[in-house]
């Protein structure tokens, strides 16, 4: 049975292909069209997934779409009637779904009637929940999705049991923890779609001195719910100015004059970040942690489950994620790498396969390498055409040579195998550096990244060594959980440790990424430190996809070494 999942006409457009419940390929459209978080229809991602699977589009049995226009229809209509006609873009987007079959056929030069697939529509948060539960190894789990909004809800929780997913309760628009984080991020002058993670990084530099204000802005209810004080926002009366066409999505301002009256003028983008801004970020982060941890604790009690599967954009808050096991009573936590809306393509597919069609479970996502890959021959062609000087080396030479270069302070672009599913580079499209050098963050920023100075870089750590260097570690293959570094170890690995003593680590498993594991192992043999700084292989655009993009980014920036497959360029 072939199922194609599509997140389309929404941020982070993506496609995923399943054969008999096993994931064949998954990739975000941004990797191809080079617009970060691209919306629209993921034509390139669809073509690549079918090519990878050797599937003719006429053979697809089901197309799974993570949106259900008749879900909560009365609520949707009520709000659509209240909002100004010009601002109800999210409601307008529904019309695009009429032509899905045409769009899919058009990708392959076919007629709509050539597509025989049955189109199945899955509610947004059910798809988020399914993306986590059905890719986890848990037979039973509490399942929680928290984001800005999808199908009129912002938080949904339920229980996954074997191949079924049962919803227990919703929190509806306009109350939304995701929109709260977005609104404050905008107020802090970070206005690009998906900038919320910058606020999280900034929060560690401040004090939560505005706790009382944020307790007023978001209140925990008596059940598993919360409410925003809407006086601080505009989304409930002006609508949400969002565009999700092909290209980078845009979200208009969501905070009201009341927020400006409370905290003063909003920060002008690119102006200095002051302690006031850091304190606001800190207060927001602290309040989000308090609210989500309380809700998860109630879900733990209400569900009686030991395992938590978590998804939605808020599940990218890795500082909060690092507190979940200690604070909520859950024993195990699983978040798949594309926890945000890209992951909906996987979730919708698996919801159809398991919950709707009743098939049993067998797939577990224990790595993130589901994207495009290019052979050594293809890499060779690019290098030859470019006139670049290169050498060809075998693996053992590469591990030793590159580990030595890293100990000398060189910055290495590491391009191997299939690209990562989700926003994190996890050792196949990565820029690597020595974590022992406390100045390496500044060096990386000067040479390549040019990021805000308050944003941390993160380490990849050998899985079996993580507990020696960090407190209370669990498996963290997708870099979505923050752990405290052991105090006596920080001096040996200062660069990727954040100002609060934490790090968003990736635990690297020898079986799921032997190349990357071996490189880190060689670095450990030379230095005693079983870790490397790992940041995504890009400058400011989406993570590089093709060897040509990798080479161009390498040449444009000041990296020292590029390793693509067996080719070394210095
Ligand atoms: Fe979502």
């Amino acid at each position: 049975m072939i199922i194609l999942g599509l997140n389309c006409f929404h941020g982070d457009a993506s496609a995923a292909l399943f054969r008999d419940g096993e994931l064949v390929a998954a990739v975000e459209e941004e990797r191809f069209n080079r617009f970060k978080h691209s919306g629209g229809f993921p034509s390139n991602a669809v073509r690549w997934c079918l090519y990878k699977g050797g599937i003719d589009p006429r053979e697809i049995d089901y197309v799974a779409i993570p949106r259900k226009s008749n879900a909560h229809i009365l609520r949707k209509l009520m709000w659509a009637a209240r909002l100004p006609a010009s601002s109800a873009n999210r409601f307008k987007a529904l019309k695009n779904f009429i032509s899905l079959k045409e769009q899919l056929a058009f990708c392959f030069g076919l007629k709509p009637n050539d597509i025989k697939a049955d189109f199945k529509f899955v509610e947004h948060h059910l798809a988020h929940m399914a993306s986590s539960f059905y890719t986890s190894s848990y037979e039973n789990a509490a399942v929680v999705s928290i984001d800005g909004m999808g199908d009129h809800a912002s938080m949904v929780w339920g229980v996954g049991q074997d191949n079924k997913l049962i919803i227990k309760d919703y929190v509806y628009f306009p109350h939304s923890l995701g929109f709260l984080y977005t609104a404050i991020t905008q107020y802090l002058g970070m206005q690009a779609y998906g900038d919320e993670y910058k606020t999280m990084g900034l929060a560690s530099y401040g004090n939560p001195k505005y706790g009382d204000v944020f307790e007023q802005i978001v209140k925990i209810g008596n059940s598993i719910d919360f409410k925003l004080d809407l006086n601080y926002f505009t989304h409930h009366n002006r609508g949400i100015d969002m565009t999700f066409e092909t290209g980078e999505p845009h979200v208009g301002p969501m905070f009201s004059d009341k927020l400006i009256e409370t905290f003063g003028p909003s920060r002008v983008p690119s102006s200095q970040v002051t302690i006031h801004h850091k304190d606001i970020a800190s207060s927001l982060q602290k309040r989000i942690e308090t609210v989500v941890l309380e809700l998860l604790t109630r879900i733990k009690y209400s569900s009686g489950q030991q395992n938590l599967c978590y998804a939605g954009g808020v599940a990218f808050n890795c500082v909060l994620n690092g507190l979940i096991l200690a604070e909520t009573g859950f024993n195990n936590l699983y978040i798949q790498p594309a926890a945000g809306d890209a992951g909906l393509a996987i979730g919708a597919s698996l919801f159809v396969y398991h919950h709707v069609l009743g098939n049993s479970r067998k797939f577990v996502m224990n790595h993130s390498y589901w994207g495009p890959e290019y052979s050594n021959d293809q890499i060779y062609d690019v290098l030859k055409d470019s006139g670049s000087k290169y050498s060809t080396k075998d693996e053992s030479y590469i591990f030793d040579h590159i580990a030595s270069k890293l100990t000398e302070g060189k910055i290495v672009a590491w391009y191997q195998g299939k690209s990562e599913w989700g926003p994190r580079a996890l050792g196949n499209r990565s820029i690597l550096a020595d974590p022992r050098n406390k100045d390496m963050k500044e060096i990386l920023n000067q040479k390549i990244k040019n990021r805000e100075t308050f944003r941390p870089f993160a380490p990849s750590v050998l899985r079996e060594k993580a507990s020696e260097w960090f407190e209370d570690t669990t498996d963290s293959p997708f870099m979505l959980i923050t752990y405290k570094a052991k105090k006596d170890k920080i001096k040996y690995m200062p660069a990727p440790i954040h100002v609060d003593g934490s790090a968003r680590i990736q635990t690297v498993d020898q079986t799921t990424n032997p190349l990357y594991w071996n490189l880190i192992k060689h670095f450990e043999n030379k230095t005693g430190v079983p870790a490397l700084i790992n940041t995504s292989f890009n400058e400011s655009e989406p993570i590089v996809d093709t060897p040509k993009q990798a080479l161009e980014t390498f040449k444009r920036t000041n990296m020292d070494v590029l390793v693509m497959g067996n080719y070394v360029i210095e």
Side-chain angles (χ1 to χ4, degrees):
M1 180 186 294
I2 303 296
I3 301 181
L4 176 69
L6 300 177
N7 179 40
C8 47
F9 309 120
H10 198 84
D12 296 310
S14 64
L17 185 74
F18 285 85
R19 181 187 282 117
D20 298 329
E22 298 273 2
L23 184 58
V24 175
V27 63
E28 295 93 331
E29 182 69 7
E30 67 162 31
R31 304 298 172 90
F32 300 99
N33 71 12
R34 313 306 295 158
F35 293 107
K36 271 190 171 180
H37 303 289
S38 176
F41 189 85
S43 308
N44 297 291
V46 168
R47 279 193 284 262
W48 186 82
C49 284
L50 293 195
Y51 162 75
K52 184 68 195 166
I55 299 295
D56 185 303
R58 289 164 287 203
E59 296 171 347
I60 301 168
D61 296 297
Y62 295 93
V63 176
I65 308 293
R67 186 163 193 155
K68 200 161 189 175
S69 54
N70 61 358
H72 318 294
I73 188 68
L74 291 177
R75 285 175 184 272
K76 284 178 181 170
L77 291 173
M78 184 182 80
W79 280 99
R82 279 194 209 177
L83 297 173
S86 60
S87 65
N89 283 336
R90 289 177 76 98
F91 302 103
K92 280 185 206 166
L94 292 172
K95 75 178 191 316
N96 290 316
F97 286 88
I98 298 164
S99 61
L100 268 174
K101 200 173 191 178
E102 286 87 337
Q103 302 241 21
L104 182 57
F106 184 71
C107 281
F108 298 94
L110 297 170
K111 296 190 181 74
N113 285 343
D114 292 333
I115 304 293
K116 306 295 181 210
D118 189 357
F119 282 67
K120 296 282 191 191
F121 294 85
V122 179
E123 194 176 330
H124 184 97
H125 283 277
L126 262 175
H128 270 314
M129 293 159 78
S131 77
S132 184
F133 176 61
Y134 290 126
T135 60
S136 78
S137 59
Y138 311 143
E139 212 167 291
N140 304 308
V143 191
V144 179
S145 170
I146 309 177
D147 67 3
M149 178 177 89
D151 277 328
H152 217 70
S154 74
M155 173 176 166
V156 184
W157 79 274
V159 172
Q161 289 178 332
D162 196 13
N163 68 348
K164 295 295 178 196
L165 196 44
I166 308 302
I167 286 183
K168 297 291 186 183
D169 210 352
Y170 290 87
V171 175
Y172 291 103
F173 176 90
H175 303 288
S176 165
L177 296 175
F179 284 169
L180 163 62
Y181 221 99
T182 301
I184 302 299
T185 298
Q186 293 173 332
Y187 171 86
L188 292 172
M190 295 173 284
Q191 299 179 341
Y193 186 86
D195 267 357
E196 290 82 358
Y197 69 102
K198 296 182 183 176
T199 302
M200 186 186 70
L202 186 62
S204 302
Y205 290 87
N207 290 305
K209 62 191 277 190
Y210 301 115
D212 54 339
V213 178
F214 279 93
E215 276 180 39
Q216 172 66 30
I217 291 177
V218 53
K219 286 197 162 72
I220 302 171
N222 294 324
S223 179
I224 298 170
D225 66 333
F226 60 87
K227 278 204 163 34
L228 297 182
D229 181 339
L230 294 170
N231 292 313
Y232 291 91
F233 302 91
T234 60
H235 62 281
H236 61 293
N237 54 25
R238 282 194 218 151
I240 307 150
D241 177 19
M242 286 193 184
T243 49
F244 286 128
E245 304 303 322
T246 301
E248 202 167 322
H250 164 78
V251 184
M254 297 172 78
F255 60 88
S256 73
D257 291 345
K258 169 101 174 169
L259 198 73
I260 295 170
E261 285 163 24
T262 306
F263 290 129
S266 60
R267 176 178 163 259
V268 175
S270 302
S271 68
Q272 194 189 357
V273 176
T274 66
I275 187 63
H276 178 59
H277 302 127
K278 294 170 185 173
D279 289 343
I280 292 170
S282 173
S283 307
L284 166 71
Q285 176 65 24
K286 188 79 190 153
R287 187 60 184 153
I288 285 281
E289 288 169 13
T290 302
V291 173
V292 173
L293 292 171
E294 175 61 25
L295 296 174
L296 292 178
T297 302
R298 294 181 189 183
I299 289 169
K300 164 78 182 85
Y301 179 78
S302 184
S303 69
Q305 297 291 325
Q306 302 300 316
N307 307 316
L308 172 64
C309 291
Y310 184 29
V314 176
F316 280 133
N317 193 313
C318 50
V319 177
L320 164 53
N321 296 345
L323 301 171
I324 288 175
L325 293 184
E327 302 285 335
T328 65
F330 282 109
N331 291 343
N332 302 296
L333 168 66
Y334 174 77
I335 307 168
Q336 63 93 13
D341 287 339
L344 295 168
I346 277 186
S349 303
L350 288 173
F351 186 81
V352 169
Y353 187 73
H354 296 298
H355 187 95
V356 176
L357 301 173
N359 291 297
S360 56
R361 292 170 63 191
K362 54 190 168 183
F363 175 71
V364 174
M365 188 184 287
N366 56 9
H367 67 79
S368 68
Y369 312 111
W370 303 101
E373 64 181 329
Y374 299 88
S375 66
N376 268 318
D377 287 346
Q378 288 170 298
I379 294 168
Y380 169 76
D381 288 342
V382 169
L383 291 173
K384 194 178 54 150
D385 291 349
S386 74
S388 303
K389 278 177 80 174
Y390 61 86
S391 55
T392 319
K393 304 292 182 189
D394 63 28
E395 279 180 8
S396 60
Y397 176 89
I398 287 175
F399 295 140
D400 190 62
H401 179 68
I402 298 303
S404 289
K405 289 286 173 188
L406 287 161
T407 65
E408 293 164 13
K410 305 294 186 195
I411 295 177
V412 175
W414 183 254
Y415 179 101
Q416 302 289 346
K418 293 179 181 176
S419 68
E420 297 88 344
W421 168 240
R424 303 267 170 270
L426 297 168
N428 282 7
R429 301 286 184 277
S430 289
I431 294 170
L432 309 175
D434 188 342
R436 299 173 304 159
N437 181 348
K438 65 177 174 41
D439 299 325
M440 192 50 83
K441 184 169 134 179
E442 284 69 37
I443 295 169
L444 280 166
N445 269 329
Q446 270 172 17
K447 287 195 164 187
I448 311 147
K449 288 286 190 168
N450 200 24
R451 306 198 317 193
E452 294 87 348
T453 52
F454 56 81
R455 288 169 54 192
F457 286 97
S460 298
V461 185
L462 295 180
R463 179 180 181 237
E464 59 275 25
K465 296 293 174 71
S467 63
E468 293 175 21
W469 290 73
F470 295 89
E471 305 281 0
D472 303 321
T473 51
T474 54
D475 271 347
S476 177
F478 306 136
M479 226 178 212
L480 292 172
I481 302 173
T482 295
Y483 302 87
K484 288 281 180 201
K486 293 199 167 170
K487 283 205 171 67
D488 60 332
K489 297 286 193 185
I490 293 176
K491 60 178 178 287
Y492 301 111
M493 195 198 292
I497 308 300
H498 201 26
V499 63
D500 60 3
S502 72
R504 175 171 48 86
I505 71 172
Q506 173 198 3
T507 53
V508 181
D509 187 313
Q510 188 175 9
T511 57
T512 55
N513 196 336
L515 283 180
Y516 192 37
W517 185 92
N518 264 301
L519 179 64
I520 302 172
K521 188 70 187 170
H522 277 70
F523 184 81
E524 184 199 23
N525 291 343
K526 290 176 189 295
T527 64
V529 176
L532 291 171
I533 292 179
N534 171 14
T535 184
S536 51
F537 191 171
N538 60 350
E539 194 182 8
S540 53
E541 76 285 17
I543 295 174
V544 299
D545 177 57
T546 64
K548 187 162 184 277
Q549 288 159 6
L551 184 64
E552 284 168 356
T553 302
F554 177 70
K555 286 184 167 178
R556 199 171 59 238
T557 57
N558 286 309
M559 288 182 270
D560 301 297
V561 187
L562 168 62
V563 186
M564 286 201 285
N566 287 346
Y567 293 93
V568 179
I569 303 97
E570 301 191 39

